[in-house]
Amino acid sequence: MGVVTLIEARNRLEELLDRVDAGEEVSILREGKAPVRLVARHDAEPRSFDWQALRAFTDSLPKSGTSSVDVVRQLRDDARY
């Protein structure tokens, strides 16, 4: 949980809202006390996810010649656990 003064909150409100939107709780101090706590709303509608951007990103990654099954077997057999 983050703690900021009232002056910091006034100057950085947009950043604080982004932090809260990401799941962090932020307390705002006034005269050494924390009368305000910013938290995300639980009933807020979930954001949509950009699946096309994810697909474009994964398509841009270099392809591996090794299957995931072989990678897991190699990790297991190399006694990494």
Side-chain angles (χ1 to χ4, degrees):
M1 175 177 11
V3 178
V4 296
T5 65
L6 182 58
I7 293 171
E8 288 175 305
R10 286 180 186 164
N11 294 332
R12 299 177 17 208
L13 182 58
E14 188 168 329
E15 176 193 335
L16 294 176
L17 292 178
D18 288 339
R19 288 169 53 184
V20 168
D21 196 32
E24 186 176 344
E25 293 184 10
V26 177
S27 292
I28 301 175
L29 297 178
R30 183 172 70 180
E31 299 178 1
K33 298 177 183 172
V36 176
R37 187 177 74 189
L38 300 176
V39 296
R41 289 178 35 183
H42 295 290
D43 63 342
E45 191 170 314
R47 291 183 172 191
S48 62
F49 190 79
D50 189 355
W51 292 104
Q52 290 178 342
L54 177 63
R55 173 61 67 187
F57 172 72
T58 56
D59 288 345
S60 72
L61 295 173
K63 304 298 182 210
S64 172
T66 308
S67 74
S68 58
V69 172
D70 292 336
V71 171
V72 171
R73 284 182 181 148
Q74 182 179 3
L75 290 172
R76 181 196 63 202
D77 294 342
D78 289 346
R80 293 187 78 179
Y81 294 105

